[in-house]
Amino acid sequence: MMNEFSMLRFAFFMLALLALPLNAATVNNLYQAQVVLPDTDKQSEQTARQQGLEQVLVKVSGQSKVVDNEVIRKALTNSSQYISQFGVGSLNGQQTLDMTFDRVQVHNLLTQANATLWSDQRPAVLVWLVKENNREREIVWDQSSNPLQTEMNTAANQRGVPILMPIGDFEDITAVSVPDLWGGFVEPVANASLRYNPEAILIVRAREDGSNVSLSWQLFEQSADRLVASQVAPKEGQVSGELVAATRDMVNQIADQLAAKYAVQLGGESRGLFSISVANIQTTEDFFTLERMLTSLSSVASVDVQRLHADQALFGVNLLTTEEAFKRELLLDRRISQVSEGSYTGQALAGNDMDASGTSDNLDVTRSNEDVTTNTVIVGDGTNSPAAVTPAQSDIALPTGSEVVPSSVSADNQFYWQP
């Protein structure tokens, strides 16, 4: 029988399930660390501060070996300057030093080290865990409270990787079997994962031998609905040893793999201007929400609105990385999804010019006409193509006298916004 805590946790999980799609999840503890404080002397506290900064740098950079960087090693000797808040706490009956590190300071340090930055929008990973003990195999569900599951959750939290496990209800147990998972059969695993809509799927096979464990894993970096069609081989690995050490080793390898895909390289000069067209902007709130979202991306140095036309805006985006990395990070936002060519039926940016005498918000969007590549981000309902918004319907307007220059739109780069 579930205790009160388990019942509350299960209820919370079901509420979260109703809020699907998950896709990317916001990780809120990237700049926080908790380190056991064995003593209260000055040396113990200094060591704890250094370990806390190491934890945060690994989480934020996505690199398990970031502390080997010469610039980082030097900074660790003066970790106090990066701390914005600290206090004493407890963990499993042990006294801890709880620290919060300054986001800007951490970013500056990673930039100086030419390291990577992994934003707090990270792919939700669905974990299918099968354990074998005495030749008997079973699936570990979310409420199983298996020691391996507990260690996986702890290690994933330390790396800032949002993971979830299937709840094991009737739909789950009829959708996939132990042989499906142990054999890594893609189609049944993808079908069973659809309801959770993860951005990545992890299959873990665990052979237990007393206090030791052997773990083999497959990481599919595609979402469940694209897994079968993609035909991309999964990343694979294998570790063995004492349960805690082996589990953390596995999670570190998986986190490094994900960060290699999603983290942004820092340092050096900006990669230059990249232009995107955003369509179906219905309100001023839509416009500023999009601008804030673009500005917050780790791959973006700055954002500048270049022109408005009907329901669309053309943003000039200065990138810190490649266009491909920018798009990967953009698509992690659950409000953005890529669509096929011809799905949008609204007014094209290259169509009739907008009347520049709007009467509501006056946004200064007059910009020079740089020669930039144009892509399209479409804002609207992903299931029904949005209708065109005329200047009379939109509450965003160009200042009187501003010139609207039609621009070509790449049909290969269209997305939907689903707030």
Side-chain angles (χ1 to χ4, degrees):
M1 181 179 296
M2 292 192 295
N3 59 28
E4 184 178 358
F5 174 78
S6 297
M7 292 177 66
L8 287 172
R9 186 168 182 265
F10 181 76
F12 175 80
F13 184 88
M14 291 303 296
L15 287 172
L17 190 60
L18 293 174
L20 296 178
L22 289 173
N23 288 327
T26 302
V27 182
N28 297 314
N29 67 341
L30 292 181
Y31 299 87
Q32 298 172 353
Q34 184 178 48
V35 178
V36 173
L37 197 60
D39 207 336
T40 56
D41 62 275
K42 187 175 181 180
Q43 181 59 46
S44 296
E45 184 174 323
Q46 182 178 347
T47 301
R49 290 172 186 264
Q50 179 175 322
Q51 292 174 349
L53 180 56
E54 289 180 4
Q55 286 184 20
V56 166
L57 290 172
V58 169
K59 280 194 294 185
V60 176
S61 70
Q63 300 177 358
S64 59
K65 304 298 185 182
V66 71
V67 293
D68 294 338
N69 183 288
E70 183 178 351
V71 175
I72 299 297
R73 287 201 306 269
K74 185 176 180 180
L76 289 172
T77 63
N78 191 21
S79 57
S80 297
Q81 66 174 313
Y82 299 96
I83 298 176
S84 61
Q85 185 177 349
F86 70 95
V88 177
S90 64
L91 178 66
N92 299 326
Q94 294 179 293
Q95 183 175 259
T96 61
L97 185 64
D98 299 347
M99 295 159 279
T100 300
F101 290 81
D102 185 84
R103 175 186 292 260
V104 174
Q105 291 269 54
V106 170
H107 287 194
N108 289 341
L109 174 58
L110 291 174
T111 301
Q112 293 167 13
N114 290 322
T116 56
L117 175 65
W118 195 5
S119 74
D120 56 6
Q121 289 293 310
R122 302 192 173 186
V125 181
L126 177 65
V127 180
W128 294 97
L129 172 59
V130 185
K131 69 170 186 174
E132 180 183 78
N133 195 351
N134 296 325
R135 297 185 178 181
E136 293 186 0
R137 297 171 180 171
E138 63 175 335
I139 301 173
V140 178
W141 305 109
D142 180 65
Q143 293 297 313
S144 300
S145 298
N146 181 274
L148 176 57
Q149 175 191 6
T150 301
E151 290 302 327
M152 282 188 62
N153 287 332
T154 300
N157 182 64
Q158 290 178 346
R159 287 302 305 269
V161 177
I163 66 172
L164 67 155
M165 299 186 72
I167 58 179
D169 60 3
F170 180 77
E171 185 173 344
D172 280 338
I173 63 178
T174 55
V176 70
S177 65
V178 169
D180 291 333
L181 295 169
W182 200 268
F185 294 104
V186 174
E187 188 167 356
V189 172
N191 291 336
S193 303
L194 279 172
R195 64 187 299 211
Y196 299 98
N197 199 17
E199 189 68 20
I201 298 171
L202 176 66
I203 301 176
V204 180
R205 308 170 191 85
R207 287 188 171 95
E208 298 177 336
D209 182 14
S211 61
N212 291 333
V213 64
S214 177
L215 304 172
S216 60
W217 51 270
Q218 291 179 304
L219 175 65
F220 298 88
E221 295 180 328
Q222 302 80 27
S223 57
D225 58 337
R226 300 174 184 173
L227 187 57
V228 177
S230 70
Q231 297 184 340
V232 176
K235 302 292 194 306
E236 298 183 335
Q238 187 170 351
V239 296
S240 59
E242 189 270 331
L243 186 143
V244 173
T247 304
R248 291 182 180 178
D249 190 9
M250 177 187 70
V251 172
N252 277 331
Q253 292 182 34
I254 291 165
D256 285 350
Q257 290 282 359
L258 290 169
K261 178 178 180 180
Y262 294 107
V264 174
Q265 182 68 47
L266 297 176
E269 297 181 358
S270 171
R271 302 295 179 90
L273 190 65
F274 179 62
S275 189
I276 62 170
S277 171
V278 184
N280 196 37
I281 300 177
Q282 304 280 0
T283 66
T284 305
E285 183 180 359
D286 284 343
F287 176 84
F288 286 112
T289 298
L290 280 164
E291 188 177 39
R292 285 193 300 268
M293 183 269 287
L294 291 171
T295 303
S296 68
L297 296 179
S298 302
S299 55
V300 172
S302 62
V303 176
D304 190 25
V305 61
Q306 296 177 324
R307 60 182 69 95
L308 293 177
H309 174 74
D311 65 332
Q312 302 188 27
L314 189 68
F315 290 98
V317 183
N318 272 308
L319 296 181
L320 293 169
T321 184
T322 63
E323 295 177 10
E324 290 74 19
F326 165 75
K327 291 176 186 177
R328 284 198 302 268
E329 187 179 14
L330 178 68
L331 288 171
L332 274 177
D333 192 301
R334 68 181 64 189
R335 296 166 295 183
I336 295 286
S337 60
Q338 199 161 18
V339 298
S340 58
E341 184 177 352
S343 296
Y344 177 62
T345 59
Q347 187 172 347
L349 186 59
N352 297 326
D353 288 353
M354 175 182 179
D355 181 0
S357 58
T359 57
S360 55
D361 296 329
N362 289 323
L363 305 178
D364 183 8
V365 295
T366 305
R367 298 291 185 271
S368 60
N369 298 325
E370 295 91 350
D371 183 15
V372 295
T373 305
T374 302
N375 298 281
T376 302
V377 176
I378 294 182
V379 186
D381 188 341
T383 56
N384 297 302
S385 298
V389 178
T390 65
Q393 292 172 303
S394 176
D395 67 352
I396 298 178
L398 286 171
T400 302
S402 296
E403 181 182 5
V404 178
V405 181
S407 174
S408 61
V409 174
S410 171
D412 297 330
N413 296 280
Q414 298 186 357
F415 304 83
Y416 272 123
W417 173 271
Q418 294 178 292

